[in-house]
Amino acid sequence: MSVNQERRLARRQKRGQRRVEDILRTAGEIFVEQGYDHATTQMIAQRADVSAGSLYQFFPNKEAIAMAFVEQSVQRLQCLYDEHILVPKALELPLPRFIDHYIDALIAFNQNNPGYFSLMQSATLSPQLISAMQGQRQEISVRIMRVVQAFAPGSTPEQCEVLAVVSYRVFLALLPVILQADEQRKQIFIKELKTILFRYFAPLQER
């Protein structure tokens, strides 16, 4: 292959990558607005400003788009934990400051990756997509357990599992309220969420 051919191939690959990014970002927006059930490939193609034929070059159907979207979102979330949350500098913070750091990071992630939460809450996903999401969530659950173990050092593995489930479910319960609120009320709900988690974990550090 000549140098010019290699350059043309590289440019096509970059354009393809950008187009995939546009499709996935648009899909997330539409999953939020319409819900997964009512979202269509036509909606996604129109919003992303690509033809249906171009979209089908990358994704054969809506489920394939959702699978790629989930994989991308979870990879980003894993990086957030590994590079921002589960680092010594963060884990050595006092509990109130760590909760500020942790919750702010997770809320920013959900604001910057619209659609991830909507897919998680959808009740009519295919068995294949449910299975894929469960596998991806397991990767995140391992990281949540590491957070809990750091701030509940006297707890058994079984107790840490319960703490992780309860704290995560509290976060999920308030997340849609936070994401849908105006800025003033958003800050109020975030503060309440942090207060709940602090009061839940503070006694555990005294064991």
Side-chain angles (χ1 to χ4, degrees):
M1 182 181 295
S2 69
V3 172
N4 287 337
Q5 287 175 322
E6 289 179 353
R7 288 175 177 172
R8 285 196 295 270
L9 177 59
R11 286 196 293 269
R12 284 198 297 270
Q13 289 174 337
K14 287 182 179 179
R15 285 197 297 269
Q17 290 171 354
R18 287 196 296 269
R19 188 155 293 178
V20 168
E21 288 288 334
D22 290 341
I23 291 170
L24 295 182
R25 182 178 62 254
T26 301
E29 295 171 356
I30 291 177
F31 292 154
V32 170
E33 297 168 8
Q34 304 293 331
Y36 178 74
D37 296 343
H38 296 100
T40 67
T41 54
Q42 182 178 3
M43 290 178 186
I44 295 169
Q46 289 178 344
R47 177 80 64 86
D49 196 24
V50 299
S51 68
S54 294
L55 185 146
Y56 290 131
Q57 287 180 358
F58 300 105
F59 303 106
N61 50 47
K62 182 176 71 172
E63 182 173 292
I65 296 174
M67 292 276 278
F69 177 82
V70 168
E71 181 177 354
Q72 180 191 73
S73 297
V74 172
Q75 287 176 349
R76 290 174 176 174
L77 189 53
Q78 288 173 348
C79 287
L80 179 67
Y81 272 95
D82 295 342
E83 300 174 6
H84 190 66
I85 295 170
L86 288 169
V87 293
K89 184 177 180 180
L91 294 177
E92 291 168 2
L93 290 171
L95 179 60
R97 289 182 59 195
F98 176 80
I99 290 176
D100 284 342
H101 175 77
Y102 187 29
I103 297 302
D104 289 346
L106 290 183
I107 290 173
F109 168 82
N110 280 277
Q111 290 174 325
N112 294 330
N113 295 272
Y116 178 66
F117 179 79
S118 297
L119 275 178
M120 287 178 59
Q121 301 303 308
S122 180
T124 58
L125 302 178
S126 70
Q128 293 82 2
L129 188 51
I130 290 173
S131 177
M133 291 186 69
Q134 287 174 340
Q136 299 285 3
R137 282 201 296 264
Q138 183 59 36
E139 293 293 326
I140 302 305
S141 296
V142 170
R143 289 161 172 79
I144 295 173
M145 279 287 288
R146 289 174 59 191
V147 171
V148 171
Q149 288 165 351
F151 288 92
S155 301
T156 66
E158 292 77 14
Q159 290 170 329
C160 284
E161 183 178 3
V162 172
L163 293 168
V165 170
V166 171
S167 56
Y168 184 58
R169 291 294 179 179
V170 169
F171 173 78
L172 287 183
L174 286 174
L175 181 60
V177 178
I178 291 169
L179 295 179
Q180 295 166 13
D182 60 44
E183 190 59 32
Q184 182 177 3
R185 288 179 62 78
K186 180 183 297 181
Q187 295 307 317
I188 292 172
F189 290 130
I190 290 174
K191 182 178 179 181
E192 291 300 303
L193 172 59
K194 292 176 178 178
T195 299
I196 291 169
L197 293 178
F198 173 74
R199 291 179 178 174
Y200 187 48
F201 279 95
L204 302 174
Q205 296 194 308
E206 300 171 0
R207 291 180 178 177

